[in-house]
Amino acid sequence: MEAALYGPDGFYLRPEGPAGHFRTSVHASPLFAGAVARLLCRVDEALGHPVELAFVDLGAGRGELTAGVLAALPAEVATRARAFAVERAERPEGLDPRVEWCGRAPDGVMGLLFANEWLDNVPLDVAEVAPDGVVRRVLVRDDGTESLGGPVEGPDAQWLARWWPLAPEPGLRAEIGRPRDEAWASASGALTRGLAVAVDYAHDRAGRPPFGTLAGFCAGRGTAPVPDGTCDITAHVALDACALPGAARLTQRAALNALGVSGGRPPLSLASSDPVAYVQALTRAGEAAELTAPGGLGDFGWLIQPVGLSDPLLVERPLLAE
């Protein structure tokens, strides 16, 4: 999975970038970047308006979210903002020169770290209950052919026992999320103070899918997860396992509603008084509806992780409640 996504011929290093294959919330509407910009302003307030305010876009794609957040910030905040786009691909041409392109999250910064659909591409192993009842690793060849390997033991077995216990029924599967827990702890640990947010396809211990979620995507459609670099390889995230002390989880629908993104239609009276404004408001409402739709982007999980903050601005607002 590591080689297929990030190796020399890896999927995420291809010139077209993720936007050439699928739509994320970032690509769906600029309303998403606007909401993240408002969240960054809340973090700024909680931090007491520091001289330098970091925005770290983890898994930045081609920098679309970073550029959108900078464009949406009020001037007073933008003058103090320092934006980092963290991505393994090369810096794209034409990106806002204020964006610092880097291969790993910067250490020792204060502000907001935002990881939109990053954890689902952190490589992991898959486990399956074999016919003998033993939980074994799933091995895969370059062409996608699978077979069962040795038993899952040690820390990975302990992770499964705690977060994704498998009944002794042959064929049941789990994705071993320990590398994602560690990746998230490392990423959020880069902040000295601030807020770390992970947004992704997610599930929790009470509702793990019995056969896992490993999938491939290419050119806008699902495909077999063949690890040859031709497709995205992804698996939903056990966000409850990633959560560190003090974290909260909620749906994207709840988070964006709290940040001012609503799919409500504008009043019909506006169509008569200002037709242009009505059409613009109707467009925004449609985009907001897509971002918050049940059964779609609205069901994404948001993991909210305060770092060194006790200000009620971040822990008592509706942002942290469904």
Side-chain angles (χ1 to χ4, degrees):
M1 188 171 177
E2 170 72 26
L5 295 180
Y6 306 112
D9 298 315
F11 177 82
Y12 276 101
L13 302 188
R14 294 170 62 164
E16 70 272 18
H21 295 272
F22 43 79
R23 275 161 62 89
T24 70
S25 296
V26 178
H27 307 119
S29 170
L31 293 176
F32 189 78
V36 177
R38 286 190 288 278
L39 180 57
L40 179 58
C41 290
R42 292 187 182 182
V43 173
D44 179 49
E45 184 179 344
L47 292 172
H49 310 293
V51 174
E52 183 174 284
L53 176 70
F55 175 67
V56 182
D57 182 4
L58 192 54
R62 296 303 179 265
E64 299 95 334
L65 178 61
T66 319
V69 167
L70 284 176
L73 287 175
E76 190 282 325
V77 179
T79 57
R80 293 181 290 106
R82 186 177 178 187
F84 302 89
V86 183
E87 183 57 70
R88 299 200 198 185
E90 294 295 324
R91 181 189 182 97
E93 295 183 3
L95 184 63
D96 190 320
R98 293 175 295 173
V99 176
E100 299 184 38
W101 196 262
C102 42
R104 62 185 299 273
D107 291 322
V109 296
M110 289 196 300
L112 173 63
L113 180 143
F114 202 88
N116 185 62
E117 294 194 46
W118 171 66
L119 282 172
D120 68 294
N121 290 126
V122 171
L124 45 59
D125 286 341
V126 178
E128 181 176 320
V129 180
D132 60 4
V134 175
V135 178
R136 298 181 179 274
R137 295 186 190 275
V138 176
L139 309 181
V140 59
R141 297 183 182 276
D142 289 345
D143 63 0
T145 303
E146 295 181 351
S147 61
L148 295 184
V152 178
E153 299 174 333
D156 285 343
Q158 295 169 11
W159 188 93
L160 287 176
R162 180 178 181 185
W163 293 111
W164 198 329
L166 290 167
E169 179 181 335
L172 294 182
R173 282 193 169 198
E175 288 120 18
I176 304 171
R178 189 170 66 88
R180 293 172 172 184
D181 299 356
E182 294 171 352
W184 181 243
S186 176
S188 58
L191 293 175
T192 56
R193 291 182 69 216
L195 192 70
V197 179
V199 181
D200 236 307
Y201 298 96
H203 46 63
D204 58 28
R205 196 178 187 280
R208 306 282 191 227
F211 302 104
T213 63
L214 188 73
F217 285 94
C218 183
R221 66 182 64 184
T223 184
V226 179
D228 61 0
T230 62
C231 68
D232 184 24
I233 299 177
T234 178
H236 295 196
V237 183
L239 281 180
D240 51 342
C242 294
L244 299 168
R249 290 182 293 121
L250 66 164
T251 65
Q252 174 156 296
R253 182 167 50 258
L256 291 184
N257 286 168
L259 289 167
V261 178
S262 170
R265 293 173 63 91
L268 284 174
S269 58
L270 185 62
S272 301
S273 61
D274 192 339
V276 174
Y278 177 76
V279 171
Q280 292 173 339
L282 198 61
T283 299
R284 288 194 298 271
E287 293 174 354
E290 180 182 1
L291 290 171
T292 59
L297 294 174
D299 290 344
F300 269 47
W302 280 47
L303 174 61
I304 311 290
Q305 188 76 56
V307 179
L309 287 178
S310 57
D311 192 309
L313 176 71
L314 294 177
V315 299
E316 294 181 3
R317 278 178 179 258
L319 178 63
L320 301 185
E322 183 63 73

